[in-house]
Amino acid sequence: MPTRVYLDGTVVPPEEARVSVFDRGFLYGDSVFEVLRTFGGRPFALGDHLDRLGRSAAGLRLPPPPRPGIEAAVRGTLAAAGNAESYVRVLVTRGAGPIGLDPALSDRPTLIVIVRELELPDPRLYRDGAELALVSVLRNHPRALDPAIKSGNYLNNILALDEARRRGAYEALLRDADGFITEGSSSNLFVVTGGGLLTPPLRAGILDGITRRHLMDLARARAMAVEERALRPPDLQGAEEAFITSSIRSVLPVTRVDGAAVGGGRPGPITLELARAYDEHARETAA
Ligand code: PMP
């Protein structure tokens, strides 16, 4: 199934999509990005993703290309790829220029949209639940590279995921320097306690996940208690249920943490109900 890439105003096959080695995205991770998927062939929450892309760009003082142009590039690349369901990655780098840290060395951002066929995680992960590892790598402090900025510099997350995978877990769970849970390497965490949802607050130093927001709204619409609260590992280890969220995974049950079962070691009923509701919501609202 085709992969298509928007670059410099045209949509090309992947082998023709080349950027300069002097691009600051390549040299420094000096870029912002978004990942989303289609439901029923239409992008879900594209507006939310472009809002966040704008906030990320502002956080790096990177002037993003005008929004209508980004939107048109996404839609044009999706149409050119023609997949039943697509993975969409939107990147804006600060562009190419002379080598040097000073952001003023480039004044022409590069917009790239990568569309490929959607690949979902192994269905067994949804059936049996995923294992998380509480890794030693800490989440960046918000006053360093703020986790709310979805920048192209993912090395912190890469190190965390590598540690988790070496320990046989599917996803890493990162803490802050005070031991509070923040988020996964590419996901947000929820636990179910007393039949209600708990999730770390944005001030914990996390990405403002779009799946997280939609899920909190869906749960509240079902009269469930939803609280953003600072969480420590025992809150997760002793939870009735747990799950992670992200745009590609939607709602993925968590059934083990560092080898120990969570919530009886099986995906829980509230997790499964919210996963079903989220899928329905995404299909209905994909525009
Ligand atoms: N946290 C991090 C660090 C991520 O990379 C992601 C994936 N974008 C998420 C959380 C989940 O965010 P979203 O639901 O917007 O995909």
Side-chain angles (χ1 to χ4, degrees):
M1 274 295 165
T3 296
R4 288 290 176 269
V5 182
Y6 172 97
L7 174 63
D8 276 339
T10 50
V11 177
V12 295
E15 57 277 11
E16 289 171 32
R18 300 190 188 287
V19 292
S20 166
V21 294
F22 297 102
D23 193 287
R24 299 174 62 91
F26 173 72
L27 288 172
Y28 307 119
D30 190 357
S31 63
V32 294
F33 77 106
E34 283 296 321
V35 172
L36 60 142
R37 62 160 285 187
T38 60
F39 282 86
R42 296 186 302 264
F44 170 62
L46 179 59
D48 294 339
H49 284 278
L50 296 186
D51 287 347
R52 187 170 68 188
L53 188 76
R55 294 198 300 276
S56 295
L60 298 184
R61 290 183 289 277
L62 189 165
R67 185 169 166 139
I70 304 181
E71 222 177 302
V74 168
R75 295 195 188 280
T77 315
L78 274 170
N83 300 312
E85 296 290 12
S86 291
Y87 162 106
V88 181
R89 191 178 189 93
V90 182
L91 288 93
V92 180
T93 83
R94 206 184 298 270
I99 290 179
L101 292 187
D102 185 354
L105 289 168
S106 174
D107 58 5
R108 205 176 77 88
T110 308
L111 169 64
I112 298 167
V113 179
I114 301 171
V115 169
R116 63 167 169 75
E117 192 183 12
L118 179 69
E119 269 176 48
L120 293 175
D122 189 333
R124 279 176 298 189
L125 278 168
Y126 291 91
R127 194 189 63 210
D128 301 335
E131 172 161 356
L132 303 183
L134 279 157
V135 294
S136 63
V137 177
L138 298 181
R139 194 73 178 103
N140 316 42
H141 191 280
R143 285 170 60 190
L145 178 57
D146 187 348
I149 298 171
K150 198 165 169 62
S151 84
N153 188 327
Y154 252 53
L155 268 178
N156 194 58
N157 313 48
I158 290 168
L159 290 174
L161 182 65
D162 185 55
E163 183 179 334
R165 291 284 164 97
R166 283 167 191 274
R167 283 161 52 182
Y170 167 74
E171 168 67 310
L173 192 56
L174 294 94
R175 285 162 286 183
D176 68 12
D178 296 318
F180 290 104
I181 290 172
T182 60
E183 61 182 339
S185 71
S186 60
S187 58
N188 291 113
L189 176 78
F190 284 84
V191 301
V192 179
T193 303
L197 293 185
L198 297 177
T199 193
L202 298 182
R203 67 170 185 285
I206 60 173
L207 185 72
D208 185 353
I210 286 159
T211 319
R212 173 184 180 276
R213 276 198 186 267
H214 281 258
L215 196 94
M216 289 196 294
D217 289 347
L218 274 175
R220 288 188 175 122
R222 301 177 125 63
M224 282 180 66
V226 180
E227 196 188 333
E228 297 179 68
R229 188 202 286 177
L231 298 175
R232 287 187 178 275
D235 299 313
L236 167 62
Q237 287 144 345
E240 288 150 22
E241 302 178 24
F243 59 88
I244 54 173
T245 59
S246 74
S247 295
I248 299 300
R249 301 180 189 96
S250 297
V251 175
L252 181 66
V254 169
T255 49
R256 300 186 85 75
V257 176
D258 289 339
V262 174
R266 301 296 311 160
I270 291 177
T271 302
L272 296 176
E273 161 65 10
L274 287 171
R276 195 200 52 71
Y278 180 83
D279 193 70
E280 190 180 292
H281 162 75
R283 273 169 213 292
E284 276 170 7
T285 56

